[in-house]
Amino acid sequence: MEDGPGIFAATVFLLFGAALLAWTGARALHRAPVAEGVRPVVAVPLALLAGATSLALGVWCLARL
């Protein structure tokens, strides 16, 4: 019963991180802007860092169960 919120949080973090990494990769591959009005040199690494951090948090949440 107490594992429910942890599983939910891990699922949200993992789905968001995976989607952000896939979206950023697709945009960078097509040389499309990742963030409106931001240089790709800045936007791509920040988006990749945010996606990887979200994945790491999801794994951490699952490890705590």
Side-chain angles (χ1 to χ4, degrees):
M1 184 72 124
E2 295 176 5
D3 292 341
I7 293 171
F8 176 75
T11 303
V12 170
F13 279 127
L14 291 172
L15 286 175
F16 176 76
L20 184 60
L21 289 176
W23 181 81
T24 303
R27 299 291 288 181
L29 190 69
H30 290 90
R31 303 225 187 271
V34 173
E36 189 70 33
V38 181
R39 293 188 332 239
V41 174
V42 175
V44 171
L46 285 177
L48 291 176
L49 180 65
T53 302
S54 183
L55 285 178
L57 283 171
V59 170
W60 179 76
C61 285
L62 286 178
R64 303 252 321 153
L65 295 178

